Amino acid sequence: ITRVQMQKYENYAQKHDLNMYILREHLPIRVVVGTDHPLAKRDFVDVSEIPHYPFVTFQGIDHEDILGAIGINEVEIQYVSSRATFYDAVRYGGYISTSIDFAEGEEERSGCVVLPCKNYQDSYVPVAFSISRSTMSNREKEFLKYLKQRLAEV
């Protein structure tokens, strides 16, 4: 989720009796484009350029959480349900999206480039939810610890 949308998800967790665990604060938002995209050779993308390209994101992700939070409401959005379709849209369809930095080697494997987004004042805050009435298993605790560690490396 983005920092701007944090209150919305805190309210959701409270309303549904969930615990919300912040996995990392202030993770910079990046723009993902295919290696052949006109923006791919740039050093950064200005947030004002985003509406000029079709945007792809996953089903179930609220447009308001990503683009509406920064005032972008007029953009062509394609919703996809799989990671493969997401990457195909970016690589071959000329779509752009937002992301965090890729892990080392992921740009080459994915055929995508991740660029800093200038004039975007928000940041990602990855979170996990659990049911308040249940106790996390050791495996679940270890997985959250692993996610936090991986996100600290980004």
Side-chain angles (χ1 to χ4, degrees), residues 45-68:
V45 175
D46 191 278
V47 70
S48 66
E49 297 175 277
I50 292 174
H52 300 291
Y53 300 96
F55 193 86
V56 64
T57 191
F58 292 97
Q59 287 177 334
I61 295 181
D62 187 350
H63 158 70
E64 188 67 26
D65 289 349
I66 297 174
L67 299 175

PDB file of all heavy atoms in Angstrom, residues 45-68:
ATOM      1  N   VAL A  45      11.430   8.796 -14.527  1.00  0.00           N
ATOM      2  CA  VAL A  45      10.152   9.166 -15.113  1.00  0.00           C
ATOM      3  C   VAL A  45       9.507  10.181 -14.181  1.00  0.00           C
ATOM      4  O   VAL A  45       9.460   9.966 -12.967  1.00  0.00           O
ATOM      5  CB  VAL A  45       9.215   7.938 -15.271  1.00  0.00           C
ATOM      6  CG1 VAL A  45       7.845   8.361 -15.771  1.00  0.00           C
ATOM      7  CG2 VAL A  45       9.842   6.897 -16.178  1.00  0.00           C
ATOM      8  N   ASP A  46       9.048  11.283 -14.729  1.00  0.00           N
ATOM      9  CA  ASP A  46       8.321  12.258 -13.927  1.00  0.00           C
ATOM     10  C   ASP A  46       6.887  11.772 -13.778  1.00  0.00           C
ATOM     11  O   ASP A  46       6.309  11.226 -14.726  1.00  0.00           O
ATOM     12  CB  ASP A  46       8.344  13.634 -14.594  1.00  0.00           C
ATOM     13  CG  ASP A  46       7.825  14.708 -13.656  1.00  0.00           C
ATOM     14  OD1 ASP A  46       6.578  14.843 -13.562  1.00  0.00           O
ATOM     15  OD2 ASP A  46       8.638  15.383 -13.013  1.00  0.00           O
ATOM     16  N   VAL A  47       6.316  11.955 -12.634  1.00  0.00           N
ATOM     17  CA  VAL A  47       4.956  11.483 -12.375  1.00  0.00           C
ATOM     18  C   VAL A  47       3.958  12.049 -13.392  1.00  0.00           C
ATOM     19  O   VAL A  47       2.987  11.381 -13.750  1.00  0.00           O
ATOM     20  CB  VAL A  47       4.540  11.782 -10.918  1.00  0.00           C
ATOM     21  CG1 VAL A  47       4.330  13.254 -10.691  1.00  0.00           C
ATOM     22  CG2 VAL A  47       3.313  10.992 -10.540  1.00  0.00           C
ATOM     23  N   SER A  48       4.217  13.231 -13.905  1.00  0.00           N
ATOM     24  CA  SER A  48       3.310  13.840 -14.885  1.00  0.00           C
ATOM     25  C   SER A  48       3.287  13.086 -16.215  1.00  0.00           C
ATOM     26  O   SER A  48       2.363  13.265 -17.015  1.00  0.00           O
ATOM     27  CB  SER A  48       3.698  15.303 -15.128  1.00  0.00           C
ATOM     28  OG  SER A  48       4.977  15.368 -15.755  1.00  0.00           O
ATOM     29  N   GLU A  49       4.266  12.226 -16.466  1.00  0.00           N
ATOM     30  CA  GLU A  49       4.329  11.466 -17.714  1.00  0.00           C
ATOM     31  C   GLU A  49       3.484  10.186 -17.670  1.00  0.00           C
ATOM     32  O   GLU A  49       3.148   9.627 -18.709  1.00  0.00           O
ATOM     33  CB  GLU A  49       5.777  11.081 -18.026  1.00  0.00           C
ATOM     34  CG  GLU A  49       6.673  12.274 -18.264  1.00  0.00           C
ATOM     35  CD  GLU A  49       8.113  11.879 -18.446  1.00  0.00           C
ATOM     36  OE1 GLU A  49       8.804  11.691 -17.419  1.00  0.00           O
ATOM     37  OE2 GLU A  49       8.537  11.742 -19.609  1.00  0.00           O
ATOM     38  N   ILE A  50       3.130   9.742 -16.499  1.00  0.00           N
ATOM     39  CA  ILE A  50       2.415   8.468 -16.354  1.00  0.00           C
ATOM     40  C   ILE A  50       1.110   8.427 -17.145  1.00  0.00           C
ATOM     41  O   ILE A  50       0.843   7.447 -17.832  1.00  0.00           O
ATOM     42  CB  ILE A  50       2.212   8.117 -14.864  1.00  0.00           C
ATOM     43  CG1 ILE A  50       3.567   7.788 -14.219  1.00  0.00           C
ATOM     44  CG2 ILE A  50       1.238   6.950 -14.697  1.00  0.00           C
ATOM     45  CD1 ILE A  50       3.523   7.562 -12.724  1.00  0.00           C
ATOM     46  N   PRO A  51       0.287   9.486 -17.119  1.00  0.00           N
ATOM     47  CA  PRO A  51      -0.987   9.405 -17.854  1.00  0.00           C
ATOM     48  C   PRO A  51      -0.838   9.302 -19.377  1.00  0.00           C
ATOM     49  O   PRO A  51      -1.807   9.017 -20.068  1.00  0.00           O
ATOM     50  CB  PRO A  51      -1.699  10.707 -17.481  1.00  0.00           C
ATOM     51  CG  PRO A  51      -1.052  11.172 -16.234  1.00  0.00           C
ATOM     52  CD  PRO A  51       0.361  10.696 -16.302  1.00  0.00           C
ATOM     53  N   HIS A  52       0.349   9.511 -19.896  1.00  0.00           N
ATOM     54  CA  HIS A  52       0.568   9.454 -21.347  1.00  0.00           C
ATOM     55  C   HIS A  52       0.755   8.030 -21.866  1.00  0.00           C
ATOM     56  O   HIS A  52       0.885   7.825 -23.071  1.00  0.00           O
ATOM     57  CB  HIS A  52       1.771  10.310 -21.731  1.00  0.00           C
ATOM     58  CG  HIS A  52       1.609  11.748 -21.353  1.00  0.00           C
ATOM     59  ND1 HIS A  52       0.703  12.590 -21.964  1.00  0.00           N
ATOM     60  CD2 HIS A  52       2.213  12.483 -20.390  1.00  0.00           C
ATOM     61  CE1 HIS A  52       0.765  13.785 -21.401  1.00  0.00           C
ATOM     62  NE2 HIS A  52       1.667  13.744 -20.440  1.00  0.00           N
ATOM     63  N   TYR A  53       0.766   7.060 -20.967  1.00  0.00           N
ATOM     64  CA  TYR A  53       0.987   5.662 -21.347  1.00  0.00           C
ATOM     65  C   TYR A  53      -0.087   4.789 -20.707  1.00  0.00           C
ATOM     66  O   TYR A  53      -0.550   5.081 -19.601  1.00  0.00           O
ATOM     67  CB  TYR A  53       2.376   5.196 -20.879  1.00  0.00           C
ATOM     68  CG  TYR A  53       3.480   6.005 -21.490  1.00  0.00           C
ATOM     69  CD1 TYR A  53       4.035   7.085 -20.818  1.00  0.00           C
ATOM     70  CD2 TYR A  53       3.949   5.707 -22.765  1.00  0.00           C
ATOM     71  CE1 TYR A  53       5.044   7.852 -21.390  1.00  0.00           C
ATOM     72  CE2 TYR A  53       4.954   6.468 -23.349  1.00  0.00           C
ATOM     73  CZ  TYR A  53       5.499   7.539 -22.661  1.00  0.00           C
ATOM     74  OH  TYR A  53       6.494   8.287 -23.241  1.00  0.00           O
ATOM     75  N   PRO A  54      -0.466   3.703 -21.382  1.00  0.00           N
ATOM     76  CA  PRO A  54      -1.417   2.787 -20.750  1.00  0.00           C
ATOM     77  C   PRO A  54      -0.781   2.158 -19.514  1.00  0.00           C
ATOM     78  O   PRO A  54       0.427   1.907 -19.484  1.00  0.00           O
ATOM     79  CB  PRO A  54      -1.707   1.755 -21.838  1.00  0.00           C
ATOM     80  CG  PRO A  54      -0.553   1.834 -22.770  1.00  0.00           C
ATOM     81  CD  PRO A  54      -0.020   3.235 -22.687  1.00  0.00           C
ATOM     82  N   PHE A  55      -1.596   1.926 -18.497  1.00  0.00           N
ATOM     83  CA  PHE A  55      -1.115   1.452 -17.197  1.00  0.00           C
ATOM     84  C   PHE A  55      -1.665   0.061 -16.934  1.00  0.00           C
ATOM     85  O   PHE A  55      -2.826  -0.220 -17.201  1.00  0.00           O
ATOM     86  CB  PHE A  55      -1.596   2.423 -16.109  1.00  0.00           C
ATOM     87  CG  PHE A  55      -0.944   2.238 -14.783  1.00  0.00           C
ATOM     88  CD1 PHE A  55       0.257   2.864 -14.491  1.00  0.00           C
ATOM     89  CD2 PHE A  55      -1.528   1.442 -13.809  1.00  0.00           C
ATOM     90  CE1 PHE A  55       0.861   2.704 -13.257  1.00  0.00           C
ATOM     91  CE2 PHE A  55      -0.937   1.276 -12.573  1.00  0.00           C
ATOM     92  CZ  PHE A  55       0.268   1.904 -12.301  1.00  0.00           C
ATOM     93  N   VAL A  56      -0.839  -0.830 -16.406  1.00  0.00           N
ATOM     94  CA  VAL A  56      -1.263  -2.183 -16.063  1.00  0.00           C
ATOM     95  C   VAL A  56      -1.071  -2.409 -14.566  1.00  0.00           C
ATOM     96  O   VAL A  56      -0.084  -1.946 -13.980  1.00  0.00           O
ATOM     97  CB  VAL A  56      -0.506  -3.256 -16.895  1.00  0.00           C
ATOM     98  CG1 VAL A  56       0.982  -3.248 -16.599  1.00  0.00           C
ATOM     99  CG2 VAL A  56      -1.102  -4.644 -16.683  1.00  0.00           C
ATOM    100  N   THR A  57      -2.036  -3.082 -13.977  1.00  0.00           N
ATOM    101  CA  THR A  57      -1.942  -3.447 -12.569  1.00  0.00           C
ATOM    102  C   THR A  57      -2.750  -4.725 -12.343  1.00  0.00           C
ATOM    103  O   THR A  57      -3.445  -5.190 -13.229  1.00  0.00           O
ATOM    104  CB  THR A  57      -2.433  -2.304 -11.650  1.00  0.00           C
ATOM    105  OG1 THR A  57      -2.088  -2.610 -10.300  1.00  0.00           O
ATOM    106  CG2 THR A  57      -3.917  -2.087 -11.760  1.00  0.00           C
ATOM    107  N   PHE A  58      -2.634  -5.268 -11.173  1.00  0.00           N
ATOM    108  CA  PHE A  58      -3.295  -6.530 -10.856  1.00  0.00           C
ATOM    109  C   PHE A  58      -4.741  -6.312 -10.430  1.00  0.00           C
ATOM    110  O   PHE A  58      -5.053  -5.318  -9.757  1.00  0.00           O
ATOM    111  CB  PHE A  58      -2.531  -7.281  -9.756  1.00  0.00           C
ATOM    112  CG  PHE A  58      -1.197  -7.776 -10.224  1.00  0.00           C
ATOM    113  CD1 PHE A  58      -0.047  -7.054  -9.961  1.00  0.00           C
ATOM    114  CD2 PHE A  58      -1.089  -8.953 -10.939  1.00  0.00           C
ATOM    115  CE1 PHE A  58       1.186  -7.500 -10.408  1.00  0.00           C
ATOM    116  CE2 PHE A  58       0.136  -9.412 -11.389  1.00  0.00           C
ATOM    117  CZ  PHE A  58       1.275  -8.683 -11.126  1.00  0.00           C
ATOM    118  N   GLN A  59      -5.608  -7.251 -10.816  1.00  0.00           N
ATOM    119  CA  GLN A  59      -6.987  -7.218 -10.359  1.00  0.00           C
ATOM    120  C   GLN A  59      -6.972  -7.198  -8.833  1.00  0.00           C
ATOM    121  O   GLN A  59      -6.121  -7.802  -8.202  1.00  0.00           O
ATOM    122  CB  GLN A  59      -7.738  -8.457 -10.831  1.00  0.00           C
ATOM    123  CG  GLN A  59      -8.043  -8.454 -12.288  1.00  0.00           C
ATOM    124  CD  GLN A  59      -8.735  -9.732 -12.725  1.00  0.00           C
ATOM    125  OE1 GLN A  59      -8.584 -10.776 -12.114  1.00  0.00           O
ATOM    126  NE2 GLN A  59      -9.482  -9.642 -13.802  1.00  0.00           N
ATOM    127  N   GLY A  60      -7.914  -6.512  -8.272  1.00  0.00           N
ATOM    128  CA  GLY A  60      -8.005  -6.451  -6.817  1.00  0.00           C
ATOM    129  C   GLY A  60      -7.203  -5.309  -6.224  1.00  0.00           C
ATOM    130  O   GLY A  60      -7.287  -5.050  -5.032  1.00  0.00           O
ATOM    131  N   ILE A  61      -6.405  -4.634  -7.038  1.00  0.00           N
ATOM    132  CA  ILE A  61      -5.684  -3.464  -6.553  1.00  0.00           C
ATOM    133  C   ILE A  61      -6.481  -2.244  -6.977  1.00  0.00           C
ATOM    134  O   ILE A  61      -6.786  -2.048  -8.144  1.00  0.00           O
ATOM    135  CB  ILE A  61      -4.243  -3.402  -7.106  1.00  0.00           C
ATOM    136  CG1 ILE A  61      -3.444  -4.587  -6.569  1.00  0.00           C
ATOM    137  CG2 ILE A  61      -3.593  -2.077  -6.739  1.00  0.00           C
ATOM    138  CD1 ILE A  61      -2.013  -4.629  -7.021  1.00  0.00           C
ATOM    139  N   ASP A  62      -6.847  -1.451  -6.020  1.00  0.00           N
ATOM    140  CA  ASP A  62      -7.667  -0.275  -6.253  1.00  0.00           C
ATOM    141  C   ASP A  62      -6.852   0.804  -6.970  1.00  0.00           C
ATOM    142  O   ASP A  62      -5.778   1.189  -6.505  1.00  0.00           O
ATOM    143  CB  ASP A  62      -8.173   0.237  -4.901  1.00  0.00           C
ATOM    144  CG  ASP A  62      -9.181   1.354  -5.009  1.00  0.00           C
ATOM    145  OD1 ASP A  62      -9.380   1.895  -6.113  1.00  0.00           O
ATOM    146  OD2 ASP A  62      -9.778   1.677  -3.968  1.00  0.00           O
ATOM    147  N   HIS A  63      -7.362   1.274  -8.089  1.00  0.00           N
ATOM    148  CA  HIS A  63      -6.722   2.359  -8.834  1.00  0.00           C
ATOM    149  C   HIS A  63      -6.400   3.533  -7.912  1.00  0.00           C
ATOM    150  O   HIS A  63      -5.350   4.155  -8.015  1.00  0.00           O
ATOM    151  CB  HIS A  63      -7.640   2.805  -9.982  1.00  0.00           C
ATOM    152  CG  HIS A  63      -7.394   4.184 -10.484  1.00  0.00           C
ATOM    153  ND1 HIS A  63      -6.264   4.512 -11.179  1.00  0.00           N
ATOM    154  CD2 HIS A  63      -8.120   5.318 -10.368  1.00  0.00           C
ATOM    155  CE1 HIS A  63      -6.305   5.806 -11.481  1.00  0.00           C
ATOM    156  NE2 HIS A  63      -7.427   6.305 -11.001  1.00  0.00           N
ATOM    157  N   GLU A  64      -7.299   3.811  -6.992  1.00  0.00           N
ATOM    158  CA  GLU A  64      -7.099   4.924  -6.066  1.00  0.00           C
ATOM    159  C   GLU A  64      -5.849   4.722  -5.199  1.00  0.00           C
ATOM    160  O   GLU A  64      -5.177   5.676  -4.842  1.00  0.00           O
ATOM    161  CB  GLU A  64      -8.338   5.096  -5.180  1.00  0.00           C
ATOM    162  CG  GLU A  64      -8.328   6.323  -4.317  1.00  0.00           C
ATOM    163  CD  GLU A  64      -8.420   7.627  -5.107  1.00  0.00           C
ATOM    164  OE1 GLU A  64      -8.967   7.617  -6.216  1.00  0.00           O
ATOM    165  OE2 GLU A  64      -7.932   8.649  -4.586  1.00  0.00           O
ATOM    166  N   ASP A  65      -5.532   3.481  -4.901  1.00  0.00           N
ATOM    167  CA  ASP A  65      -4.364   3.197  -4.068  1.00  0.00           C
ATOM    168  C   ASP A  65      -3.056   3.530  -4.766  1.00  0.00           C
ATOM    169  O   ASP A  65      -2.064   3.841  -4.119  1.00  0.00           O
ATOM    170  CB  ASP A  65      -4.335   1.726  -3.658  1.00  0.00           C
ATOM    171  CG  ASP A  65      -5.410   1.385  -2.663  1.00  0.00           C
ATOM    172  OD1 ASP A  65      -6.041   2.309  -2.124  1.00  0.00           O
ATOM    173  OD2 ASP A  65      -5.622   0.180  -2.430  1.00  0.00           O
ATOM    174  N   ILE A  66      -3.040   3.429  -6.078  1.00  0.00           N
ATOM    175  CA  ILE A  66      -1.790   3.629  -6.805  1.00  0.00           C
ATOM    176  C   ILE A  66      -1.724   5.010  -7.445  1.00  0.00           C
ATOM    177  O   ILE A  66      -0.852   5.804  -7.146  1.00  0.00           O
ATOM    178  CB  ILE A  66      -1.615   2.548  -7.892  1.00  0.00           C
ATOM    179  CG1 ILE A  66      -1.525   1.172  -7.241  1.00  0.00           C
ATOM    180  CG2 ILE A  66      -0.368   2.808  -8.724  1.00  0.00           C
ATOM    181  CD1 ILE A  66      -1.496   0.041  -8.227  1.00  0.00           C
ATOM    182  N   LEU A  67      -2.663   5.286  -8.336  1.00  0.00           N
ATOM    183  CA  LEU A  67      -2.603   6.523  -9.099  1.00  0.00           C
ATOM    184  C   LEU A  67      -3.481   7.627  -8.530  1.00  0.00           C
ATOM    185  O   LEU A  67      -3.087   8.791  -8.524  1.00  0.00           O
ATOM    186  CB  LEU A  67      -3.004   6.247 -10.553  1.00  0.00           C
ATOM    187  CG  LEU A  67      -2.108   5.254 -11.287  1.00  0.00           C
ATOM    188  CD1 LEU A  67      -2.677   4.964 -12.668  1.00  0.00           C
ATOM    189  CD2 LEU A  67      -0.695   5.763 -11.383  1.00  0.00           C
ATOM    190  N   GLY A  68      -4.663   7.284  -8.060  1.00  0.00           N
ATOM    191  CA  GLY A  68      -5.567   8.291  -7.519  1.00  0.00           C
ATOM    192  C   GLY A  68      -4.971   9.016  -6.333  1.00  0.00           C
ATOM    193  O   GLY A  68      -5.250  10.199  -6.115  1.00  0.00           O
TER     194      GLY A  68
END
